[in-house]
Amino acid sequence: SSWSHYFIMVPVFFIEKEEEEDDSVGNGNASSSTTFSAYWSRWRKRRKSGSTTKNGTEEKDDEHAKIKGIGIQMTSIFVSMPNGKTVITFNNANKKKDVQVTIDSRHRTTLSDCWSRVQNELKKSYSKLRQYDGQYLAYSFLDQAVDMIGPVVKELRKAIELETESLSDQKYKNMDRIHMLRDELKNMERKLKQFLRLLVHVIEDETIRPGPTVYLKDVLDNLENCDEEVKNLISICESADVAAEKFERGQMDATLYTLTVISATFLPAQFLTGVWGMNFVYMPELDEEYGYRMFWSLAVVLIISMLLFLNCGRLRA
């Protein structure tokens, strides 16, 4: 049979974080405004948590606060067919500006070396990767790519939880960050759909032997779970918009209620002013010695009655 190859594009997701700024006082490269901003941010976090020292939880919060997006690195895999004895891979990693990625719960590495787990398995003479052909090796790349999605989703979930708590404390003043996370998640969801279609196509392809196909079905199940988690995070971000709109409506309703109570409270006094301000010749109340006092007595009694009637306690609520 003639020589051919099987081509697969595998996405690797990772967290893009903001560049760290040196906020130490003795660093000459850090500007005074940058140093002040760093100290101010730390002071607010310490005041909110009620602590005077920075603990491990706050350091994790700082890490989640540095998230600025979801990056994607594409890895191309060529598998020789039909024998599957040759596998060629390459990616577009930039080693000059590398980032840290989490392979699983125990291992972290750089993006340019994200396939280190597969490489380490190949170094072992007893590993399955050395016993089987290139199709099983291609499965290992797909499996690791899916495994690296889990830590990304976990970190995003924590960042979204912290952001929603912050929005609630700040009365939903700035929604830019939660909108950024939502847009990044939607873009990730689109890429995951393409990844799902790729796995389905590979599983259904008759040129792939049944052995790797069995393992690929497990990879597909894991990827579907990741896709569901991403959709859940998107719904959490969208629920923050609903909560913000509800909060704004509540604020507007409270303002309108306050204005209504104030207007209704002084309406009796305005009525008395209108009646006794008419230019009729004979108005017996105008000649009374205590007419002015009588006006204010009636006005105060009516104002208090209106406040009790309108339940002024709702103003505090």
Side-chain angles (χ1 to χ4, degrees):
S1 58
S2 61
W3 186 91
S4 62
H5 68 271
Y6 203 91
F7 174 67
I8 303 174
M9 287 284 288
V10 181
V12 177
F13 298 93
F14 61 94
I15 297 295
E16 290 183 334
K17 295 188 177 181
E18 298 175 357
E19 295 293 334
E20 293 187 0
E21 297 175 345
D22 189 359
D23 57 358
S24 60
V25 178
N27 189 356
N29 295 327
S31 63
S32 59
S33 60
T34 301
T35 305
F36 176 76
S37 299
Y39 284 142
W40 174 250
S41 177
R42 285 185 181 178
W43 180 82
R44 286 189 302 173
K45 284 186 173 68
R46 291 174 185 175
R47 185 181 180 186
K48 180 180 177 181
S49 61
S51 61
T52 57
T53 59
K54 192 169 185 178
N55 52 34
T57 303
E58 288 176 337
E59 290 178 355
K60 291 181 180 179
D61 292 353
D62 287 345
E63 287 297 318
H64 293 301
K66 294 176 183 176
I67 296 176
K68 70 174 184 179
I70 304 172
I72 302 174
Q73 174 186 279
M74 302 303 297
T75 297
S76 302
I77 303 175
F78 292 88
V79 184
S80 63
M81 301 295 288
N83 52 25
K85 293 182 178 180
T86 304
V87 178
I88 302 174
T89 65
F90 62 90
N91 55 38
N92 58 345
N94 184 3
K95 291 188 177 181
K96 294 182 180 180
K97 190 178 180 181
D98 217 345
V99 296
Q100 292 286 324
V101 296
T102 303
I103 296 179
D104 51 39
S105 59
R106 296 173 296 174
H107 302 90
R108 285 180 64 86
T109 184
T110 58
L111 184 61
S112 59
D113 195 27
C114 61
W115 306 113
S116 59
R117 191 178 73 181
V118 177
Q119 294 170 353
N120 292 333
E121 286 295 320
L122 285 172
K123 294 177 183 178
K124 301 175 183 178
S125 59
Y126 55 87
S127 68
K128 292 183 179 180
L129 293 181
R130 296 180 66 90
Q131 297 174 11
Y132 297 117
D133 59 6
Q135 291 187 9
Y136 189 85
L137 179 59
Y139 145 74
S140 300
F141 283 117
L142 293 171
D143 183 42
Q144 184 172 337
V146 174
D147 286 344
M148 285 189 287
I149 298 175
V152 172
V153 174
K154 183 179 180 180
E155 192 165 356
L156 288 170
R157 179 179 294 278
K158 183 61 178 177
I160 290 172
E161 290 175 354
L162 292 174
E163 186 63 22
T164 51
E165 292 177 3
S166 176
L167 286 173
S168 178
D169 295 337
Q170 298 174 4
K171 299 181 179 180
Y172 302 93
K173 291 181 179 179
N174 188 355
M175 301 288 292
D176 292 342
R177 181 168 174 78
I178 197 72
H179 290 163
M180 180 274 292
L181 292 172
R182 180 199 60 193
D183 295 340
E184 291 292 324
L185 284 166
K186 286 185 177 180
N187 182 53
M188 183 179 182
E189 183 189 16
R190 289 192 291 269
K191 297 296 182 181
L192 286 178
K193 286 182 179 179
Q194 297 174 6
F195 200 179
L196 284 167
R197 288 195 293 267
L198 168 67
L199 282 177
V200 171
H201 174 74
V202 173
I203 292 172
E204 295 177 350
D205 197 329
E206 296 179 355
T207 58
I208 304 298
R209 291 198 302 275
T213 300
V214 175
Y215 297 108
L216 285 173
K217 289 180 180 179
D218 293 334
V219 176
L220 180 62
D221 292 337
N222 293 335
L223 186 58
E224 288 176 345
N225 292 334
C226 292
D227 183 56
E228 290 297 324
E229 291 183 8
V230 170
K231 290 179 179 178
N232 179 257
L233 293 181
I234 293 174
S235 64
I236 293 175
C237 293
E238 292 175 345
S239 65
D241 281 329
V242 175
E245 293 177 1
K246 183 178 180 181
F247 178 80
E248 290 177 358
R249 286 197 301 268
Q251 291 287 92
M252 184 176 296
D253 291 343
T255 302
L256 292 175
Y257 178 77
T258 302
L259 294 175
T260 302
V261 169
I262 293 174
S263 300
T265 299
F266 289 96
L267 185 61
Q270 293 175 356
F271 172 75
L272 295 176
T273 302
V275 171
W276 287 332
M278 293 185 294
N279 295 322
F280 290 113
V281 176
Y282 180 73
M283 294 188 71
E285 294 86 354
L286 298 179
D287 297 329
E288 292 290 336
E289 180 180 358
Y290 300 103
Y292 181 74
R293 296 179 182 179
M294 181 177 63
F295 167 79
W296 281 112
S297 299
L298 282 173
V300 170
V301 170
L302 291 173
I303 287 173
I304 293 174
S305 301
M306 290 297 297
L307 286 174
L308 294 175
F309 176 75
L310 295 173
N311 188 10
C312 62
R314 289 184 56 188
L315 290 175
R316 293 192 298 270

